Amino acid sequence: MACRARGNQGNWFAEVTAPRHPEVHGKSLPCIWDYWWQGKSRYIDPGYAPGNPKAEKVVEALKSEGFAVMRKRRKTDDPDKWEADGYIGVFKIRDVEFGESLEFDIVERICDLD
């Protein structure tokens, strides 16, 4: 069975089905956007801010789980409007920093998502 993720609009987490990867199978993991992926191994999202309860919940999960689901961003006519265009993969992460931005290292791609 292939790896899959399922989320709901407005929810910043996705449920992962990946029987061949027990470290993430059945977990609800935080979602991140491909737009903020820098180079091959760095993630920097300047839009995160302390005090936002949803952002703080995502950061807590990134630190505790050490994994994230990466989503694709669809381009729209409005540069301020974000639309999801599916999932890319599940990634192992480390060294999460949360201050003026959300930053961490992307260590390994666990699986591609359908």
Side-chain angles (χ1 to χ4, degrees):
M1 174 183 248
C3 295
R4 299 192 193 291
R6 186 155 92 196
N8 297 311
Q9 188 166 348
N11 184 352
W12 296 8
F13 288 77
E15 184 78 27
V16 175
T17 302
R20 293 187 181 160
H21 303 279
E23 65 274 33
V24 296
H25 180 64
K27 292 187 176 186
S28 180
L29 296 175
C31 293
I32 58 174
W33 293 92
D34 62 341
Y35 185 81
W36 302 115
W37 192 359
Q38 308 286 318
K40 293 185 178 189
S41 63
R42 192 73 179 150
Y43 186 87
I44 303 172
D45 183 343
Y48 269 67
N52 177 334
K54 277 189 167 184
E56 289 180 357
K57 186 175 178 183
V58 167
V59 171
E60 183 180 309
L62 289 169
K63 289 179 177 180
S64 65
E65 294 292 341
F67 296 99
V69 173
M70 188 173 293
R71 301 200 70 166
K72 289 185 238 178
R73 178 183 179 202
R74 177 184 303 140
K75 293 184 180 187
T76 65
D77 293 335
D78 180 352
D80 293 328
K81 185 176 180 184
W82 288 70
E83 288 185 5
D85 191 23
Y87 297 100
I88 295 172
V90 177
F91 293 82
K92 184 175 184 177
I93 64 159
R94 72 169 178 230
D95 299 330
V96 177
E97 299 172 21
F98 184 46
E100 292 184 23
S101 62
L102 170 62
E103 300 185 31
F104 53 83
D105 293 321
I106 296 173
V107 179
E108 174 186 358
R109 184 184 292 233
I110 302 300
C111 62
D112 295 326
L113 293 167
D114 293 338

